[in-house]
């Protein structure tokens, strides 16, 4: 049969370290902005989101408990996270749902004013695997436009919640406004899809989503211990081969008062090491594309 998956990747031929200023590791911090884009019957959606601080779905009726758990992210979580980035001089990528951008444009405008990137994360907070091709194309264009309106600049990156469809990457290329996507979890090194489009792998392990019920993180140190361990290993490997690390955050998760110290400890550790490039994803994509041309 025709092979549709690449199991080998860079094995046996990993690219040498090549980051700016002789950095041994590129670190990408991604803040997922999903608040207001979660499925909610009160907003006219077909069902309520079931993944938040507890695992419970209200069926057939509005769920203000779930909604207020999400709203905590914009009301309190964002400020703590943004101020932490400022203290450590870290620039991040805010991966944002289109409906969230329409509801909280002030948040994205503040993030841009602080020097961060804003990228696309779908219209609603939902997977795309089951979407019809034409519906998905409309959704991608709608998301891109909403973020451009909110920020005053066109986004260049895309990341799907969980599973993209078999058409997603092709539709991004057809749209023409995207330089990269993050719909891959299979490497610690970027790669080119074609001459103009970069795939930047993302990660679910170095991610505060593991604070969700059953995810394994409970105390703030659970997050920092794991992420620092991954950083140290990739930093060591970065002496001989190109390495990129993704750290995934959510306003309503790491932004909680009992968890924010985990992010503070991670950034203190990373910024204490020489030769580390903390970069927006668009910067990493542009650099990698430049190496390929």
């Amino acid at each position: 049969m025709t092979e549709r998956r690449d199991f080998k990747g860079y094995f046996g031929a990993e690219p040498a370290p090549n980051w700016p200023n002789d950095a041994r590791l590129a670190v990408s911090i991604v803040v997922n902005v999903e608040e207001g884009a979660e499925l909610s019957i009160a907003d006219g959606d077909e069902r309520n989101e079931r993944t938040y601080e507890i695992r419970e779905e209200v069926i057939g009726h509005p769920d203000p408990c779930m909604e207020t758990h999400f709203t905590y992210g914009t009301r309190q979580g964002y400020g703590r996270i943004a101020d932490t980035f400022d203290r450590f001089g870290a620039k991040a990528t805010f991966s944002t749902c289109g409906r969230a951008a329409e509801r909280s444009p002030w948040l994205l405008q503040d993030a841009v004013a602080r020097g961060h990137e804003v990228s696309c994360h779908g219209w609603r907070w939902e997977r795309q695997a089951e979407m019809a091709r034409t519906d998905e194309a409309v959704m991608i264009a709608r998301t891109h436009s909403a973020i451009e309106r909110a920020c005053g600049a066109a986004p260049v990156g895309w990341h799907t919640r969980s599973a993209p469809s078999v058409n997603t990457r092709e539709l991004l290329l057809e749209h023409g406004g995207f330089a990269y996507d993050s719909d891959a979890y299979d490497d610690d090194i970027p790669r080119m899809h074609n001459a103009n489009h970069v795939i930047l792998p993302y990660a679910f392990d170095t991610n505060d989503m593991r604070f969700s019920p059953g995810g394994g993180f409970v105390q703030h140190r659970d997050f920092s211990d794991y992420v620092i361990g991954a950083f140290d290993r990739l930093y060591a490997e970065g002496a001989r081969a190109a390495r990129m690390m993704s750290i995934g955050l959510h306003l309503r998760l790491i932004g909680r008062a009992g968890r924010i110290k985990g992010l503070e400890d991670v950034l203190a550790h990373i910024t204490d090491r020489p030769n580390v490039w903390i970069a927006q994803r668009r910067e990493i994509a542009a650099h990698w594309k430049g190496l390929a041309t």
Side-chain angles (χ1 to χ4, degrees), residues 8-285:
K8 187 175 183 180
Y10 289 109
F11 183 79
E14 290 191 329
N18 52 41
W19 301 120
N21 301 316
D22 297 321
R24 290 172 60 166
L25 180 62
V27 175
S28 165
I29 304 170
V30 177
V31 183
N32 296 278
V33 182
E34 300 150 349
E35 289 71 13
E38 75 280 1
L39 299 185
S40 174
I41 286 177
D43 284 332
D45 298 324
E46 62 273 20
R47 66 171 179 84
N48 292 315
E49 177 56 51
R50 62 176 69 93
T51 302
Y52 58 111
E53 290 285 340
I54 59 175
R55 292 197 184 279
E56 179 177 287
E57 182 181 9
V58 174
I59 299 175
H61 302 278
D63 186 354
C65 174
M66 176 274 296
E67 288 188 332
T68 55
H69 273 281
F70 273 81
T71 308
Y72 184 91
T74 54
R75 293 169 66 100
Q76 288 291 336
Y78 170 73
R80 288 195 185 106
I81 294 168
D83 289 347
T84 299
F85 289 157
D86 285 349
R87 289 202 307 275
F88 288 97
K91 303 304 180 185
T93 295
F94 283 72
S95 182
T96 306
C97 294
R99 194 163 79 178
E102 282 200 341
R103 294 180 130 173
S104 301
W106 60 270
L107 187 153
L108 302 185
Q109 291 159 11
D110 185 79
V112 169
R114 295 177 190 242
H116 303 295
E117 173 192 11
V118 180
S119 63
C120 296
H121 194 32
W123 177 254
R124 303 190 304 183
W125 190 49
E126 61 183 339
R127 63 189 185 189
Q128 295 165 217
E130 300 91 349
M131 285 188 184
R133 194 182 195 283
T134 53
D135 292 341
E136 188 177 11
V138 170
M139 182 275 294
I140 289 171
R142 185 183 187 189
T143 303
H144 190 274
S145 295
I147 292 175
E148 183 173 10
R149 285 194 303 273
C151 298
V156 298
W158 182 273
H159 182 219
T160 305
R161 176 193 175 177
S162 301
S165 78
V166 295
N167 302 308
T168 302
R169 189 163 288 139
E170 181 181 357
L171 290 171
L172 296 176
L173 296 174
E174 290 180 4
H175 181 276
F178 295 96
Y180 73 88
D181 73 74
S182 301
D183 288 342
Y185 306 84
D186 55 4
D187 216 323
D188 298 311
I189 309 172
R191 62 183 179 271
M192 300 300 300
H193 175 68
N194 60 26
N196 295 305
H197 192 84
V198 184
I199 299 174
L200 298 180
Y202 192 55
F204 283 168
D205 65 324
T206 48
N207 195 307
D208 70 357
M209 65 186 285
R210 295 182 60 196
F211 280 116
S212 299
F217 291 168
V218 178
Q219 304 296 332
H220 65 79
R221 68 182 65 90
D222 297 331
F223 173 82
S224 57
D225 285 353
Y226 188 93
V227 174
I228 288 171
F231 170 85
D232 286 348
R233 179 59 186 245
L234 292 171
Y235 183 77
E237 293 180 359
R240 60 172 178 78
R243 288 290 183 268
M244 170 187 167
M245 179 181 186
S246 293
I247 301 174
L249 307 174
H250 299 75
L251 301 180
R252 64 191 179 277
L253 293 177
I254 202 70
R256 286 276 172 178
R259 297 170 180 160
I260 192 67
K261 189 175 187 303
L263 177 60
E264 292 170 343
D265 289 348
V266 165
L267 290 178
H269 184 84
I270 290 175
T271 56
D272 189 50
R273 299 298 184 273
N275 304 115
V276 177
W277 185 36
I278 303 177
Q280 302 166 5
R281 288 180 95 76
R282 64 185 175 193
E283 294 174 317
I284 297 173

